[in-house]
Amino acid sequence: MIIFNLSSYNSGPFILVGIPGLEQFHMWIGIPFCAIYIVALVGNCILLSLIAVERSLHEPMCFFLSMLATTDLILSTAGMPKTLSIFWLGDQEITFAGCLTQMFFIHYSFVLDSAILMSMAFDRYVAICSPLRYTSILTPKTIIKIVVAISFRSFCIILPVVFLLTRLPFCRTHIIPHTYCEHIGVARLACADISINIWYGFCVPIMIVLSDVILIAISYIFILCAVFRLPTRKARQKALGTCGSHVCVILMFYIPAFFSILAHRFGHNVSHSFHIMFANLYIVIPPALNPIVYGVKTKQIRDKVMLLFSMKDPG
């Protein structure tokens, strides 16, 4: 109710135009986006069902992986259905409350994804650097505390963004040159000073995410030091193999994320159409690739997936 009261003067819907300059190609652009989104939905749902059903996968790493899959589903679903409705149905309108809701879940999922990757790096650090203490350190109670902490942290970081937008009057245009609502993109439509939005929206989440990246890097420095001290080549390969999928997911998440953020703030020479296209790919490609990477790189999950499909084989 607070949001609606504060935004009562922001009457009228916002208009999401899609990808500026490529409107005539929206119908065709939507096809690969839809295909990738379906892969993300199916892949993450299979991963979640496997982890829920198979007792051998009830371990800390797989618990964090199931949380990552859930967050990826939220991230892609918060943006992609509306994007496809713009491309295929011409449904460009979105209410102010709907815009705030979409923006919150997209940004919240991003920050939470980063925190989950940090937690997974800690899991790998304990598993490789202190294997004998793994079960005593990462107990179910400790894992619950970590999950609650990172979820609450992400919520507290993103919630102020919603209230920073509700205080702004939108008395000029309600046209958003994008396929989904993004904090600074919406704030720039306001006919008021948005300095606080710019400083908070850029500095706070970026500093938090950078701190996650630094902690992940420190974890992997210790992991690599421990791996290269292992006595045999086979042991080193096994240890590196357990981290391979996680490293791939980290790179898939952070590289396009930082490119998109920096291009939005500083990339004045970057084509606007390219940036909007890339921003859409970012919210759907990592969620689609994550379950595939874990399915290929993680032997336990790979074996369970193969068993699942072999059981469906009538032969």
Side-chain angles (χ1 to χ4, degrees), residues 172-188:
R172 292 199 297 263
T173 180
H174 282 205
I175 298 174
I176 304 173
H178 209 311
T179 56
Y180 59 81
C181 294
E182 189 270 340
H183 173 218
I184 299 300
V186 175
R188 283 176 175 162

Side-chain angles (χ1 to χ4, degrees), residues 106-160:
I106 288 175
H107 291 321
Y108 174 76
S109 301
F110 170 73
V111 176
L112 184 55
D113 260 349
S114 178
I116 294 169
L117 291 176
M118 178 184 64
S119 302
M120 294 170 77
F122 175 69
D123 172 271
R124 292 300 85 196
Y125 164 76
V126 176
I128 292 175
C129 297
S130 302
L132 299 178
R133 300 176 56 206
Y134 182 76
T135 54
S136 62
I137 294 174
L138 285 170
T139 62
K141 188 175 181 180
T142 301
I143 293 170
I144 291 172
K145 287 180 179 178
I146 293 173
V147 169
V148 171
I150 62 176
S151 301
F152 185 68
R153 186 196 75 161
S154 303
F155 181 81
C156 290
I157 291 168
I158 300 303
L159 186 62

